[in-house]
Amino acid sequence: MEIKFWGTRGSIPAPGSHTLEFGGNTTCVEVVLLNGQRVVIDGGTGFRLLGQHLTAINDPCHFHLLLTHGHWDHLLGIPFFEPIYRETTEVTVDGWPPAFQAMTRVFDSHMGDGFFPVAFDHLKARIDYLNNLAHGPLDLDGVVIDAMRLNHPQGGLAFRFQEGKHTMVFITDNELGAARGRRIPEFVDFCRGCDLLIHDAQYLPGEIADRRGWGHSTYEEVVDLAQQAEVHNLILTHHDPSRTDAEVEQIVALSREMVAGRKNPHYVDAAREGACFRLP
Ligand SMILES: [Zn+2]
Ligand SMILES: [Zn+2]
């Protein structure tokens, strides 16, 4: 599978000269499977750029959209995704069930109080709601996607892609050290031995005490998870909107110090808008 980051920022877009390296758009990740199917995780503002790209390459735009949860930074790009206004586009939505309701509410409600001028049921694309992943694995012609509940206010889902021998785990908006909810050993089991773990690392260790219960993790907690789960490659994402490129570089440097001399993970970096990874 090939994994491309179209949005890496957490909470709110953060454009400007200080975020050019890692990007200012909010969460959107494209996964193109070896069988040719396309899966998109979340519709943050990076989703708009993906829409421009798919239009430019004249792609028929038939794909699965997996929503981790319904917070606005993960939905804001959907009304600005150009192919959603075309009859030929087919989107199958799955993921955290309340997120589908939240996605429809981004649009006009016919009551004059919507957040966008266009009504959801006036969109020309065919949008189906599968609602599979909250209940069991999703099989896309042999690629199996599993889900796990996140530690995040109002809930959400993490996703694990298994394609042949290769595994990618995507976990954003997740508080590893939460007082309640899923415990670390459950996340270790979910991530065990994966080729690539992409995980929320919004906060610094010095910030977390004031932000407990906000639903995010520190890079130290994430590196620790990756080590316990013997993850091969680790990418930190959902960068805090206040974080400059230099500060994200510093987080990467500190994370690499933590893994120096250890067997796993072999590789640590921060998600960059436009960056692409291929498994195998
Ligand atoms: Zn978020
Ligand atoms: Zn969130």
Side-chain angles (χ1 to χ4, degrees):
M1 71 189 97
E2 197 172 273
I3 299 123
K4 183 165 182 179
F5 288 95
W6 292 92
T8 61
R9 195 61 55 171
S11 306
I12 192 165
S17 58
H18 58 291
T19 58
L20 292 175
E21 177 69 22
F22 294 96
N25 281 295
T26 64
T27 304
C28 179
V29 175
E30 178 192 19
V31 184
V32 179
L33 307 176
L34 280 175
N35 64 23
Q37 295 203 46
R38 175 179 280 109
V39 180
V40 180
I41 305 173
D42 283 345
T45 60
F47 195 43
R48 182 179 69 86
L49 305 180
L50 173 60
Q52 288 177 335
H53 167 71
L54 294 175
T55 300
I57 65 171
N58 215 9
D59 189 274
C61 267
H62 299 170
F63 62 90
H64 281 77
L65 174 63
L66 307 187
L67 299 174
T68 59
H69 65 305
H71 287 161
W72 61 357
D73 51 319
H74 299 259
L75 302 175
L76 267 176
I78 295 174
F80 300 93
F81 181 76
E82 284 177 35
I84 214 167
Y85 299 97
R86 291 203 291 268
E87 283 166 358
T88 51
T89 297
E90 293 179 16
V91 185
T92 305
V93 183
D94 206 331
W96 182 237
F100 181 69
Q101 293 305 317
M103 169 184 164
T104 63
R105 285 201 299 269
V106 170
F107 293 86
D108 183 46
S109 62
H110 296 297
M111 302 292 281
D113 59 353
F115 295 106
F116 194 71
V118 179
F120 183 75
D121 53 10
H122 287 174
L123 296 173
K124 289 188 175 155
R126 177 176 170 167
I127 303 172
D128 294 313
Y129 177 45
L130 200 58
N131 193 16
N132 189 121
L133 274 165
H135 314 287
L138 177 64
D139 188 329
L140 300 180
D141 293 337
V143 176
V144 178
I145 306 172
D146 281 293
M148 177 184 173
R149 183 83 191 255
L150 298 170
N151 290 335
H152 198 60
Q154 297 155 317
L157 291 176
F159 303 120
R160 182 178 195 273
F161 288 61
Q162 180 83 45
E163 181 181 72
K165 289 186 293 187
H166 296 280
T167 311
M168 185 276 284
V169 177
F170 184 86
I171 309 182
T172 195
D173 295 58
N174 185 50
E175 185 168 347
L176 287 166
R180 288 191 299 275
R182 298 285 190 195
R183 313 317 304 161
I184 299 286
E186 295 174 84
F187 289 107
V188 171
D189 279 346
F190 193 69
C191 301
R192 193 177 304 283
C194 73
D195 296 282
L196 177 63
L197 169 63
I198 303 164
H199 198 294
D200 164 357
Q202 183 157 348
Y203 298 139
L204 303 174
E207 295 170 335
I208 194 74
D210 291 338
R211 295 171 190 184
R212 277 288 171 222
W214 290 18
H216 302 284
S217 299
T218 69
Y219 70 86
E220 280 188 357
E221 293 167 324
V222 176
V223 171
D224 201 42
L225 167 67
Q227 288 177 334
Q228 287 191 55
E230 300 185 338
V231 163
H232 297 255
N233 301 286
L234 173 64
I235 302 291
L236 308 171
T237 192
H238 209 270
H239 311 311
D240 192 86
S242 69
R243 208 77 72 208
T244 65
D245 287 332
E247 289 166 339
V248 178
E249 292 280 15
Q250 179 70 9
I251 287 172
V252 172
L254 292 166
S255 302
R256 288 177 178 166
E257 271 178 31
M258 282 180 73
V259 304
R262 305 282 290 266
K263 189 162 161 273
N264 291 106
H266 312 306
Y267 174 80
V268 181
D269 204 351
R272 293 160 205 265
E273 205 171 293
C276 203
F277 296 86
R278 188 172 298 188
L279 301 178

